[in-house]
Amino acid sequence: MLKRSIRRGIVARILAIASGLFLFLILLELGLRLAGFGFLSLQERRNRLLARQKGRYTIMCVGESTTAVGGAYSYPSQLQEILNQRRIGVRFSVINKGVPGIHTSEILNRFGSDLDAYHPDMVISMMGSGDSGPHMPYEVVVPKAMNFFRSFKVYKLALSLGSRIAKGLKAAIPGKPGKNTAQQAAPGKADRRKSGTYPGRGWAYERQGRYPDAEAAFKEAIEADPGNALAYLQLGWFYRAQGKFTEAEGLFKKAIKLHTGNGRPYSGQGGFAEAQAVFKNSIELNPDDYWSYIGLGWIALEEARYSQAEDLFRKAVAVNPANDWPYVEMGQFYLEQGKSSQAEAAFRKAIELDPRNDRPYIRLGWISREQGRDPEAEELFRKAIEVNPGNDWPYVEIGRFYQEQNRISEADTAFRKAVALNPDNDWAYVGLGRLLQAQGKIPAAVAAFNKALELNPQNDRACRTLRVLYMEMGNHSLAGRYGRKADEIRSGYYPPVIIDDYQRLKAALDKRGITYVCAQYPMRSLEPLKKIFRGEQGIVFVDNEKLFKEAVQKGGYQEYFVDTCNGDFGHCTPKGNRLLAENIANAILDRVFSVKGGIDAAQTRERP
């Protein structure tokens, strides 16, 4: 009887604790939902209040977290304060439409409705850092400040809490060794012998991330049939994806010469007429050649012919609906267009057709990260590792994920595993370098970034971060060297998607007679933006490069930036946003209102 009473008491206590915990979680979730709604709601409420103020000159700022972050200390808020303190006889309202993590395509998708809602007299853009492009196919780095705003979303925090609890339980309960052994990770020679034809093996190895094997297979295809133009084209596309443009150009020339029977010169990295001819000829010979439709689709995307690109990817799916790869390519197309839901549907269809294809798991992991579904992202990256333990890329992605979660040891293990699997993966060294940099292990971080550059001299993220590291170390000579190299890499280059979005934005503003201010990010050269609009009139360009470089050299990087999420710059401190706002204000007053700063600019440095 006594034992039964004791049991009942224990059960009652457990139920009471469980009920209390359940109630706490409900209240926490409600609070988090309110907090999650808070940031954008407060920003929108402020915007609406400013829009109602009559007789004001309205400025709308668009961009990502570098625009959105900071509240009263964001650059749009400080810009409004500075402009109104200059006392030029005009009252200003500055609308902040920055959204953390947004792509330029998404900005443009909502741009018309924002113009209708606020009727601005002027629009300021500072955008593009959130986009990924062909030059950085796997780079989806989420900055800490963006994570801060994501933390207001209930599912982000709730799922993250669950992930940490699971991690704790895993550490507390001994488990069996994992399956990802070195033996399983290493691709064997038997696999290579059984992989089929040379080009088929090349595509298979490339999609697995086994790039040395892919390169070897494509070369073997050329050796087996030196007169096959498509074999040269395939290796050319492979090199182009690796950023080896000189090698790619030579192979394209060879493919064209074989295909056409003459020596017409290749038109360069941005011209694809000859490559189109090869793909079209292949389709004439074989109407079910879905790879040629995919190739034509990516050419259309490079040339900003988006509707044609989508049609071509759909055609690739239609001619071979049982094959997973066209769905992967279509999903990637949608991902680069900022259409996450369509991309997710395509990747899930690819997995349905071939659960052994690791690449759609990686892509879905990106989407889950961007949407704050952390445990799901981790599961997807782990699934990619499970189906193809020899691929280094899932380890890079899960390493970035672990670093965001502050799971330092696991992140370090993941990056080093990626390096062990593929010592030629420059982005694995970049990930390791960023992790070491965050831990304050500067010499080791410098070594990792230098290794990334040794592997890929065109890795501008490594260049830009080295510039900052050497600047912080007081080595201005090396900082300048890497800065010039980074500018050289990026000089004149923007992915076609971003170029098209900038031009669409300008066209929408011209149609409504709205003044356009095109601001470049701190530390970045203005020249690529000017090249986008060469010949265009009426644009107010704002150069923030020299100003910030001089300020950082004098006061130190941490004085103006809170992180290095973009390599050579990150999210600004309040002081950094002040400097940015002052520079933009000076350009507006000078170029639009013909006023050299209004009252003494120094007075604006003190907040009222």
Side-chain angles (χ1 to χ4, degrees):
M1 193 72 175
L2 180 61
K3 289 183 178 180
R4 186 177 298 175
S5 177
I6 292 173
R7 287 173 184 168
R8 287 176 179 172
I10 293 173
V11 171
R13 288 179 184 176
I14 292 173
L15 289 174
I17 293 171
S19 299
L21 180 60
F22 183 68
L23 178 61
F24 169 76
L25 290 175
I26 290 176
L27 293 174
L28 177 63
E29 181 162 344
L30 289 172
L32 291 173
R33 285 188 180 275
L34 289 173
F37 188 69
F39 167 63
L40 290 178
S41 296
L42 286 173
Q43 178 177 285
E44 195 60 23
R45 182 173 179 272
R46 176 186 178 276
N47 289 339
R48 296 289 181 185
L49 288 173
L50 288 171
R52 292 194 191 106
Q53 297 178 1
K54 303 298 182 183
R56 291 201 169 208
Y57 188 94
T58 302
I59 300 172
M60 186 172 79
C61 301
V62 297
E64 314 92 0
S65 54
T66 48
T67 297
V69 167
Y73 294 95
S74 66
Y75 98 75
S77 292
Q78 296 199 62
L79 175 63
Q80 176 177 293
E81 176 189 325
I82 291 167
L83 288 172
N84 285 325
Q85 285 183 347
R86 298 292 173 89
R87 299 173 189 168
I88 67 167
V90 177
R91 296 296 291 172
F92 295 88
S93 291
V94 180
I95 307 295
N96 187 344
K97 292 300 294 183
V99 179
I102 197 169
H103 294 93
T104 55
S105 296
E106 293 176 277
I107 292 173
L108 266 294
N109 287 342
R110 62 179 71 187
F111 192 59
S113 60
D114 287 339
L115 293 179
D116 291 336
Y118 297 106
H119 305 287
D121 300 286
M122 174 186 290
V123 166
I124 302 173
S125 73
M126 191 172 71
M127 61 187 194
S129 69
D131 292 57
S132 61
H135 61 289
M136 200 181 300
Y138 294 93
E139 183 69 351
V140 185
V141 177
V142 183
K144 293 178 181 178
M146 189 190 305
N147 283 333
F148 172 76
F149 284 104
R150 281 185 183 173
S151 69
F152 287 105
K153 299 178 182 179
V154 59
Y155 59 86
K156 166 75 174 179
L157 283 182
L159 294 177
S160 182
L161 178 62
S163 177
R164 290 178 183 275
I165 291 172
K167 180 196 170 193
L169 289 173
K170 182 180 178 182
I173 302 172
K176 295 181 180 180
K179 295 181 179 180
N180 296 334
T181 63
Q183 182 179 0
Q184 289 172 306
K189 293 182 179 179
D191 293 332
R192 294 189 61 185
R193 288 197 300 268
K194 297 178 182 178
S195 293
T197 62
Y198 297 120
R201 280 193 293 138
W203 290 118
Y205 286 139
E206 185 180 7
R207 83 187 214 183
Q208 292 171 7
R210 293 163 59 179
Y211 302 117
D213 288 335
E215 182 178 7
F218 287 131
K219 286 181 177 179
E220 287 170 4
I222 292 173
E223 290 175 7
D225 185 4
N228 186 343
L230 190 57
Y232 291 94
L233 193 61
Q234 287 169 328
L235 183 57
W237 278 104
F238 172 78
Y239 280 140
R240 189 179 184 284
Q242 300 295 306
K244 299 177 180 178
F245 295 112
T246 302
E247 294 92 332
E249 185 173 5
L251 288 158
F252 287 151
K253 286 180 179 178
K254 182 67 175 178
I256 293 157
K257 186 174 182 179
L258 288 169
H259 176 66
T260 61
N262 61 49
R264 287 185 301 164
Y266 178 61
S267 57
Q269 295 173 17
F272 298 99
E274 295 88 349
Q276 279 181 303
V278 176
F279 283 129
K280 288 178 178 178
N281 182 67
S282 179
I283 290 171
E284 288 177 9
L285 296 172
N286 178 14
D288 293 334
D289 180 9
Y290 63 92
W291 277 116
S292 290
Y293 285 110
I294 289 171
L296 288 172
W298 284 112
I299 290 173
L301 183 62
E302 285 281 338
E303 296 178 345
R305 294 181 282 111
Y306 303 113
S307 61
Q308 292 180 38
E310 184 171 7
D311 289 342
L312 287 160
F313 288 124
R314 288 187 179 278
K315 184 66 175 177
V317 169
V319 299
N320 197 342
N323 191 293
D324 59 310
W325 199 246
Y327 287 99
V328 175
E329 296 296 329
M330 178 175 280
Q332 182 66 25
F333 164 76
Y334 283 133
L335 197 61
E336 294 193 9
Q337 297 296 304
K339 299 177 180 179
S340 297
S341 59
Q342 293 97 317
E344 184 169 357
F347 292 138
R348 293 196 183 280
K349 181 64 177 178
I351 290 172
E352 177 187 326
L353 291 169
D354 183 5
R356 298 166 300 173
N357 185 347
D358 59 323
R359 192 158 294 187
Y361 292 108
I362 298 173
R363 303 294 203 276
L364 284 172
W366 295 353
I367 295 171
S368 296
R369 282 175 63 199
E370 287 296 316
Q371 296 179 353
R373 307 196 307 263
D374 286 353
E376 182 180 330
E378 182 175 6
E379 182 182 350
L380 286 161
F381 292 140
R382 287 190 174 277
K383 186 66 177 177
I385 291 169
E386 178 187 328
V387 300
N388 185 8
N391 187 358
D392 49 310
W393 273 113
Y395 287 101
V396 174
E397 296 301 336
I398 206 168
R400 291 169 179 157
F401 170 82
Y402 286 146
Q403 184 175 0
E404 293 167 23
Q405 300 289 309
N406 202 32
R407 294 158 65 174
I408 303 302
S409 176
E410 290 167 286
D412 186 82
T413 300
F415 287 130
R416 294 186 189 279
K417 179 68 173 179
V419 169
L421 287 171
N422 182 6
D424 296 326
N425 187 336
D426 54 313
W427 286 108
Y429 284 100
V430 168
L432 184 60
R434 294 186 69 230
L435 183 69
L436 293 166
Q437 180 186 6
Q439 295 176 273
K441 300 177 180 179
I442 303 305
V446 168
F449 286 119
N450 273 312
K451 182 63 177 179
L453 277 179
E454 177 188 327
L455 293 169
N456 179 10
Q458 299 302 307
N459 192 316
D460 72 317
R461 176 61 60 91
C463 262
R464 293 184 185 282
T465 308
L466 281 168
R467 171 165 65 182
V468 171
L469 289 173
Y470 281 122
M471 193 179 295
E472 286 290 287
M473 294 164 67
N475 192 331
H476 298 297
S477 174
L478 277 178
R481 171 185 160 192
Y482 282 104
R484 288 189 295 274
K485 174 65 175 175
D487 291 339
E488 178 186 327
I489 293 170
R490 279 288 185 127
S491 177
Y493 178 77
Y494 271 105
V497 172
I498 296 180
I499 293 173
D500 183 67
D501 288 335
Y502 267 106
Q503 291 174 343
R504 285 168 56 203
L505 185 146
K506 176 65 165 56
L509 296 179
D510 286 347
K511 186 176 181 180
R512 301 186 186 220
I514 298 171
T515 302
Y516 180 32
V517 176
C518 184
Q520 180 58 289
Y521 292 105
M523 312 288 282
R524 292 282 172 93
S525 171
L526 184 63
E527 290 308 308
L529 283 179
K530 285 187 173 181
K531 288 180 181 179
I532 291 176
F533 297 109
R534 184 169 291 162
E536 294 273 0
Q537 301 296 319
I539 302 175
V540 178
F541 289 103
V542 181
D543 187 349
N544 290 299
E545 182 183 21
K546 183 180 178 181
L547 178 73
F548 270 86
K549 284 183 177 178
E550 290 177 351
V552 167
Q553 186 168 346
K554 291 177 182 177
Y557 185 86
Q558 301 302 325
E559 189 79 9
Y560 296 93
F561 299 101
V562 298
D563 55 37
T564 58
C565 64
N566 292 294
D568 55 339
F569 79 96
H571 296 86
C572 287
T573 62
K575 185 173 182 179
N577 275 328
R578 192 72 174 183
L579 187 64
L580 181 61
E582 286 175 343
N583 198 40
I584 294 173
N586 289 337
I588 290 171
L589 293 173
D590 181 18
R591 296 281 304 283
V592 179
F593 293 91
S594 300
V595 175
K596 294 291 183 181
I599 64 168
D600 184 3
Q603 295 181 34
T604 69
R605 296 182 184 273
E606 298 297 328
R607 299 183 66 84

